[in-house]
Amino acid sequence: MAFREVTMLEVKEVLGRWLVGGSKKSITRQLGVARNTVRRYIEAALAEGLSAGQGVEVLSEKRLGAVLARLRGVAQRDHGEAWATCEGRRSFIAEKLAGGLVLTKVHRLLKRHGVIVPYSTLYRFATS
């Protein structure tokens, strides 16, 4: 199944129809949106304190933003071993970068010292 970006207008349209009393089934039929998608949008709205029949005027930009944030979710992921390796060499990396070396050279120097980390991880570490 392919990933489809959720647009603000789609969420606003679904919630607007639900807030004026539309059923999930009728919203699905009218907008051509999957039933489970409508259900997810409504569950996010319920979690933000909205309820069916309140009227579309209660859907402020702030509340819509909160619903969208809920729908996106937050991907929490711990850093891996390579990040921990960079943490262990933080002073070395900072010293070399402060001395004017570019990150690719720092990456090569780490390799010479037996510290193998992907460049992409080193880049994210250095920019964070």
Side-chain angles (χ1 to χ4, degrees), residues 11 20 32 37 52 57 63 103 109 113 124 128:
V11 175
V20 295
T37 302
E57 55 277 349
R63 277 191 155 163
L103 195 57
L109 289 174
H113 288 87
R124 285 191 307 272
S128 69

Side-chain angles (χ1 to χ4, degrees), residues 7-116:
T7 65
M8 180 182 70
L9 293 175
E10 178 182 291
V11 175
K12 191 173 184 176
E13 185 68 26
V14 168
L15 294 181
R17 290 176 188 246
W18 174 70
L19 285 168
V20 295
S23 68
K24 293 176 193 172
K25 193 172 187 177
S26 68
I27 295 169
T28 298
R29 194 174 44 252
Q30 292 167 355
L31 298 179
V33 179
R35 184 179 33 126
N36 285 338
T37 302
V38 173
R39 180 188 48 78
R40 275 189 329 108
Y41 295 175
I42 291 172
E43 285 175 358
L46 287 169
E48 289 301 321
L50 297 171
S51 62
Q54 283 183 314
V56 74
E57 55 277 349
V58 298
L59 188 60
S60 64
E61 291 297 319
K62 183 178 178 183
R63 277 191 155 163
L64 181 61
V67 170
L68 287 169
R70 234 177 233 287
L71 289 170
R72 276 190 218 108
V74 179
Q76 294 290 334
R77 182 175 166 250
D78 292 334
H79 294 293
E81 292 177 26
W83 189 277
T85 302
C86 289
E87 283 287 353
R89 300 293 181 138
R90 178 181 287 278
S91 59
F92 176 81
I93 295 168
E95 174 189 323
K96 297 301 179 188
L97 291 174
L101 291 180
V102 293
L103 195 57
T104 53
K105 179 65 176 179
V106 174
H107 188 239
R108 278 186 258 143
L109 289 174
L110 286 170
K111 276 187 182 176
R112 285 185 196 162
H113 288 87
V115 179
I116 309 297

